Amino acid sequence: MSESVAKTELPIAYSWQMPQWQQLAQLVDSARLPHALLISGPDGIGKHRFAQAFAASLLCEQASGFSACGQCRSCQLLLAGNHPDFREVCPEEGKRQIGIDQVRELQGFVGKFAHREGGKKVLLIHPAEAMNHFTANALLKTLEEPAGDTLLMLISHAPSQLLPTIRSRCLQMKFGVPGGDVAKGWLQHYVGDPAQAEHLLAEAAGRPLAAKALFDNDGLSRWLGYDGRLSAVVSGSLSPLQFAEELAGEEVLDVLDWWLGRLMALSRHLLAERPVPPGVWQDLAGRDSRLVMDQIDKALQLRAKLQRGAPLNKRLLFEDLLLSWFAAVNR
Ligand SMILES: [Zn+2]
């Protein structure tokens, strides 16, 4: 149920997260840090690492300039993945929801004072929407009477799906897609080529870590492959059901990112005369923008469901997406 923060070095916040980092630094400096933070925003922008970096700095025994030293006993315990005053809860391997037992097991952690005298305890839950109604209520009950100074950090890609009673007890920190050149500079440093960095970021809707993942796992050529298969469906040489079956063997969120990315590009083209996405999508560029918006809504709802850990049959999911798309365009 718990996961180590890092193995070789402690995480630090990303360069585009400095405004939020400063905001927390001010709260800590003025002793106004609340007991619960909700860190929300799209997937792929580094919220998790931000939360881990903040936890490390709060637990560090000699943080300087508000970042963990990496040397003290607390930092060493975090590096070793067994800090007694830190817990991280995420869905267990192979599962998409956080189990109620995982939350009940936190009772001991929440009920004991920090090991370091006068120190804080930090509980990180990621992603918070992976808790269902029962689990979220169990968490609230667990947190009713914490011993000592306990900070709850919830990370969420879909905060609207959290229980209002959870949301209302947190200070909400919204993280958007980073603007300006900071993310581009970071990615360019990694991939080496400015034009490629720009292309990757555009494909990933501006989300730097999603863009990096596309680069790392050759996502752009994989997406072009999906375009090619979709094109075969449009030309009638491949059935939508067969394509759905192929897609069911792929990483579901990656396929949804491709689908959504192309639809978003199409909608930008329809609404603002922006460039049309590649290949097969050009055939659909003359369509009604409402139709595209409906398909975007559908895909976004599916992604939200997936992120919440709802059980889904991948083949049926893709069949539904493809059939509804073709029903709409052939109407
Ligand atoms: Zn330290």
Side-chain angles (χ1 to χ4, degrees), residues 112-294:
K112 280 191 205 132
F113 284 90
H115 287 67
R116 185 179 157 218
E117 203 175 321
K120 286 185 194 303
K121 290 177 296 175
V122 181
L123 170 58
L124 182 60
I125 298 192
H126 172 239
E129 57 271 20
M131 292 186 293
N132 65 24
H133 185 84
F134 299 107
T135 318
N137 277 315
L139 177 71
L140 286 174
K141 193 151 177 44
T142 303
L143 289 166
E144 267 168 13
E145 287 178 35
D149 201 350
T150 307
L151 173 69
L152 169 69
M153 273 197 280
L154 300 174
I155 300 176
S156 176
H157 316 305
S160 63
Q161 296 182 36
L162 304 180
L163 286 185
T165 40
I166 290 264
R167 269 203 314 268
S168 65
R169 65 180 288 150
C170 298
L171 173 70
Q172 299 203 32
M173 295 188 75
K174 292 196 174 113
F175 285 63
V177 167
D181 289 333
V182 186
K184 201 177 121 193
W186 173 83
L187 190 62
Q188 190 178 317
H189 182 70
Y190 186 73
V191 305
D193 172 38
Q196 195 182 12
E198 192 155 348
H199 183 203
L200 285 161
L201 267 179
E203 292 281 16
R207 300 167 301 143
L209 300 188
K212 178 179 175 288
L214 278 180
F215 177 77
D216 286 340
N217 59 32
D218 204 15
L220 293 184
S221 50
R222 194 172 55 251
W223 286 11
L224 284 174
Y226 297 159
D227 287 337
R229 300 302 278 162
L230 183 64
S231 175
V233 176
V234 171
S235 70
S237 61
L238 178 70
S239 81
L241 298 187
Q242 216 175 329
F243 186 36
E245 182 140 10
E246 287 177 15
L247 290 177
E250 303 286 320
E251 177 56 49
V252 63
L253 281 172
D254 181 62
V255 177
L256 272 181
D257 269 354
W258 160 71
W259 185 253
L260 265 168
R262 297 299 193 240
L263 287 172
M264 300 275 205
L266 202 51
S267 75
R268 285 194 296 275
H269 162 77
L270 293 171
L271 297 171
E273 300 288 313
R274 301 296 293 272
V276 191
V280 61
W281 300 88
Q282 297 187 0
D283 301 344
L284 309 168
R287 304 288 174 167
D288 185 343
S289 63
R290 273 172 310 178
L291 182 151
V292 177
M293 292 309 187
D294 287 348

Side-chain angles (χ1 to χ4, degrees), residues 10 56 59-63 67-76:
L10 288 172
L59 294 170
C60 177
E61 293 167 13
Q62 49 194 42
S67 62
C69 73
Q71 310 294 325
C72 70
R73 203 173 56 99
S74 171
C75 287
Q76 292 299 319

